[in-house]
Amino acid sequence: MAVPEYTSTNFINRESWWKNRALLVLNICLILPLLSSVLNGLDASMLNGLQILPAWQEYFHDPQEKNLGLINSAQSIGTLSGIPLSPYASDLLGRRVTLFFGATIVLSGILTQALSTSVHIFIGGRVLIGLGNAFTSNAAPLLISELSYPTHRGKFTALYNTMWYCGSIISAWICLVAYHQAGTSEWSWRVPVFLQATVPVLQMTFIWFIPESPRFLVAKGLESQAARVLTKYHANGSSKYDQLVAFEMAQIRHSHNVERKIASSSSFLTCFATPGNRRRMLIIISISTFSQWCGNSLVSSYINIVLDGIGITTTRTKSLINGCLQIFNFASALSSLMLVDKLGRRKLFLISNTGMLIVFSMWTVTTALFNETRSTVAVQATVPLIFMFFFFYDFAYTPLIVSYTLEILPYSIRAKGLAISYFSAYLSNAVNLFVNPWALNDIGWKYYLFFCGWLVVELAFVTMFIVETKGRTLEDTAALFDGVKPPRNTTEWRDNLDFARMPRPRSPGLDKDARDNFELHESSGDRCSVSGSHSHIEQQEHSKVQSSVFGSPSHLETRSEESAITAIK
């Protein structure tokens, strides 16, 4: 008899998540790690907004070229310093402890920056913020992807990077309000910096009220705790015998055992040890670099210089354009977020890169026309083109950089792979931030031609190498790269499976005592055993209910593991 193949689709909650108390609480808990991305956007955009303020320029003696490049790249330097250590902290200490540690460093950096009396102290504060950000940015998305409900995972991981713009919106408008309220006072820039401290304080306070990653717990041999977390938040606390919990535990355990046997070491070299891992790293490093070298950094970090280059010089106009652009970016990223599971990842990347290439080429032409002819028409055309460019950038690169990276990595190298992704992005960004002001001042609009050519390279790479991951669990997606080479246009692997041939899953009801006394233990790495104070009759009754649906819990888990293997054949 053929072994039936199950997926989490068979066992998921069918009602709206806000009507399920456990899912509602879980999704509220996930807001806390999402704040790491908000803080990242808040800090990155804060400096962009501060450059527009006359008080900041005067206090730090109008930094230009080399000094301005160093101020902007300081955070990236700090992040690059912490990235090699962050995955080890996430894997050894846990996602929550690492997030707390990173938030503490970020808070110290914010206070240093807000109280700075010289440009050197200001730069030192930004380095500290970057160092703490290396740890929070590694732990937060891991916690989100490994804790979220199976059908919510794609949207939540995509939402993580999207929340960057939420922080940038807050930053842009805080700077505008501070300018109107404080004018040329130094508090017009100190107050916005102080307000950044809100996020790390919230994270340090409430991180202990959310659960740890079940996958981290299994990796540390704490399967009972992992099962309790999944039961409470994925099965509404109904029973540790719940079919979804059993299926998830089986997949996590099986994946962990296979990866443990394959992995020869825990160093970064593991990420390049197998053909599948090398293919992952090629994609991850490339899209992380693309996300910084497509021309977006010109406006993200140097909007003041870019707007000067097209004749827009007033502080109020620049601040309004910056504030409206951040709102537009956030709305664009949210709209693409809704399409992640409908269009798939590959189509979003293709649409994004094609659109950016076309619009940035037009942006280059209008900027050149203004510099050569001082045409007001060129100015009027350039501002909408900036908005259109970021619409296409947000279509894929904002929601998918972190999300796609996490989806294609197995647990054993997930933290390190994410660290490599961040290292690539921040290294590319640091080079950009240091070079951009010099290039813009020396060669002007001709510097835009470099990005036009680079966007052609990006489009070619995306077309050839990006594979579709829609409709797969973390374990299934990771198996794509280690099994049979999939076609680039791979779609959902369960689309044509006839679920009608299989009985619908039912979660058997157990009395409270049975639930409280149930413990899950590892038995030869591939099945579950029950211990506790159940009476012989209670155990028999539970066995009958389970068998009437899919068999015993261990039978279901064995089948789930076999399904995880046969899924890629």
Side-chain angles (χ1 to χ4, degrees):
M1 179 179 176
V3 176
E5 294 182 358
Y6 303 119
T7 71
S8 56
T9 307
N10 295 90
F11 316 118
I12 61 171
N13 172 63
R14 302 290 176 176
E15 65 179 346
S16 301
W17 63 267
W18 57 85
K19 296 180 181 178
N20 185 304
R21 184 179 181 278
L23 293 184
L24 178 61
V25 171
L26 175 61
N27 290 344
I28 291 174
C29 287
L30 292 178
I31 293 175
L32 198 67
L34 283 174
L35 289 179
S36 294
S37 183
V38 174
L39 178 61
N40 198 6
L42 184 63
D43 180 71
S45 298
M46 182 69 70
L47 189 57
N48 204 19
L50 293 180
Q51 292 176 53
I52 299 175
L53 300 180
W56 186 88
Q57 294 282 356
E58 181 182 351
Y59 193 88
F60 293 110
H61 309 295
D62 192 21
Q64 297 290 330
E65 296 185 352
K66 182 179 179 181
N67 287 334
L68 184 59
L70 185 58
I71 291 172
N72 273 292
S73 59
Q75 192 221 32
S76 296
I77 293 171
T79 304
L80 289 171
S81 302
I83 281 177
L85 302 175
S86 61
Y88 292 102
S90 292
D91 285 342
L92 295 175
L93 304 177
R95 287 34 171 152
R96 294 190 304 172
V97 173
T98 304
L99 188 58
F100 177 86
F101 177 67
T104 304
I105 299 177
V106 169
L107 180 60
S108 66
I110 290 173
L111 296 179
T112 301
Q113 186 176 256
L115 298 172
S116 60
T117 56
S118 69
V119 69
H120 299 98
I121 297 176
F122 190 86
I123 291 173
R126 293 199 55 73
V127 172
L128 278 176
I129 292 174
L131 179 62
N133 181 62
F135 291 92
T136 59
S137 295
N138 186 272
L142 292 174
L143 188 59
I144 291 170
S145 67
E146 295 170 0
L147 189 58
S148 55
Y149 195 68
T151 53
H152 299 170
R153 184 171 294 120
K155 289 184 175 64
F156 259 107
T157 52
L159 181 62
Y160 175 79
N161 219 37
T162 301
M163 293 301 289
W164 190 97
Y165 282 123
C166 185
S168 69
I169 291 171
I170 297 171
S171 171
W173 290 99
I174 283 177
C175 288
L176 180 59
V177 171
Y179 172 71
H180 279 289
Q181 295 297 321
T184 57
S185 167
E186 65 182 65
W187 289 104
S188 66
W189 67 266
R190 290 192 190 274
V191 170
V193 176
F194 269 120
L195 291 176
Q196 287 181 262
T198 305
V199 176
V201 168
L202 286 174
Q203 290 187 314
M204 292 166 63
T205 304
F206 295 104
I207 188 61
W208 311 113
F209 294 94
I210 68 175
E212 181 57 272
S213 159
R215 286 164 176 80
F216 169 78
L217 294 174
V218 169
K220 294 301 179 183
L222 303 174
E223 294 196 7
S224 295
Q225 292 185 32
R228 282 195 291 269
V229 170
L230 291 173
T231 300
K232 181 177 180 180
Y233 294 100
H234 287 194
N236 206 15
S238 60
S239 167
K240 292 183 183 180
Y241 291 113
D242 186 86
Q243 304 286 7
L244 177 61
V245 174
F247 180 85
E248 288 187 290
M249 285 298 298
Q251 273 204 323
I252 293 171
R253 186 186 300 107
H254 172 77
S255 177
H256 173 67
N257 289 336
V258 170
E259 292 165 15
R260 185 172 54 187
K261 293 174 183 177
I262 294 175
S264 57
S265 68
S266 59
S267 70
F268 278 93
L269 294 178
T270 308
C271 298
F272 302 90
T274 66
N277 284 354
R278 287 192 290 272
R279 187 178 173 209
R280 291 181 178 100
M281 291 303 110
L282 173 64
I283 294 174
I284 288 170
I285 293 172
S286 296
I287 63 175
S288 298
T289 303
F290 294 165
S291 71
Q292 304 301 318
W293 279 6
C294 59
N296 61 311
S297 61
L298 293 176
V299 173
S300 297
S301 300
Y302 296 105
I303 191 170
N304 190 42
I305 298 176
V306 170
L307 293 180
D308 279 341
I310 56 173
I312 298 175
T313 58
T314 62
T315 300
R316 177 178 172 81
T317 304
K318 290 177 180 178
S319 298
L320 283 173
I321 291 175
N322 186 37
C324 292
L325 179 60
Q326 305 315 317
I327 294 175
F328 177 81
N329 284 337
F330 187 52
S332 300
L334 285 179
S335 64
S336 64
L337 177 66
M338 299 298 105
L339 300 174
V340 167
D341 290 327
K342 292 183 179 180
L343 294 182
R345 286 62 163 162
R346 178 176 163 79
K347 286 183 180 178
L348 291 183
F349 273 116
L350 288 172
I351 293 172
S352 174
N353 279 95
T354 303
M356 283 194 296
L357 175 59
I358 294 172
V359 174
F360 196 88
S361 299
M362 297 168 64
W363 178 1
T364 302
V365 171
T366 58
T367 302
L369 285 174
F370 173 79
N371 280 269
E372 298 298 327
T373 65
R374 297 293 165 179
S375 169
T376 57
V377 176
V379 176
Q380 295 170 357
T382 301
V383 174
L385 286 173
I386 292 175
F387 279 74
M388 288 177 63
F389 172 82
F390 274 93
F391 170 79
F392 285 108
Y393 177 86
D394 296 330
F395 204 73
Y397 283 91
T398 295
L400 292 183
I401 288 298
V402 173
S403 153
Y404 191 78
T405 296
L406 292 174
E407 285 179 346
I408 65 176
L409 289 169
Y411 177 84
S412 60
I413 61 169
R414 191 168 294 148
K416 295 178 181 66
L418 183 61
I420 290 174
S421 171
Y422 282 137
F423 188 87
S424 303
Y426 278 101
L427 181 61
S428 304
N429 193 39
V431 173
N432 256 338
L433 293 176
F434 201 70
V435 171
N436 283 350
W438 286 358
L440 288 171
N441 285 328
D442 290 346
I443 60 177
W445 68 267
K446 296 182 180 67
Y447 183 47
Y448 289 37
L449 296 174
F450 164 77
F451 292 106
C452 290
W454 186 255
L455 284 167
V456 174
V457 175
E458 290 189 16
L459 180 58
F461 182 91
V462 167
T463 303
M464 291 187 290
F465 291 100
I466 295 295
V467 299
E468 186 56 76
T469 60
K470 183 178 70 171
R472 296 177 181 270
T473 65
L474 290 176
E475 286 72 29
D476 296 331
T477 302
L480 258 179
F481 291 81
D482 299 313
V484 180
K485 183 178 179 181
R488 291 192 299 271
N489 201 31
T490 304
T491 54
E492 294 188 55
W493 58 298
R494 297 294 188 211
D495 279 348
N496 299 318
L497 185 60
D498 183 9
F499 291 126
R501 290 179 296 177
M502 293 185 289
R504 300 302 300 168
R506 299 192 303 274
S507 298
L510 295 179
D511 58 79
K512 183 178 183 298
D513 291 336
R515 291 197 298 270
D516 292 342
N517 289 305
F518 178 80
E519 293 293 337
L520 187 63
H521 302 282
E522 183 172 9
S523 176
S524 301
D526 61 0
R527 56 177 297 171
C528 295
S529 61
V530 180
S531 64
S533 59
H534 297 76
S535 68
H536 178 67
I537 297 176
E538 286 174 322
Q539 292 182 10
Q540 283 185 327
E541 184 62 27
H542 174 69
S543 177
K544 290 177 182 178
V545 178
Q546 291 278 23
S547 298
S548 67
V549 184
F550 288 112
S552 66
S554 61
H555 170 81
L556 171 63
E557 296 184 4
T558 302
R559 290 293 182 266
S560 300
E561 293 173 9
E562 291 173 352
S563 175
I565 299 171
T566 58
I568 62 172
K569 293 183 178 178

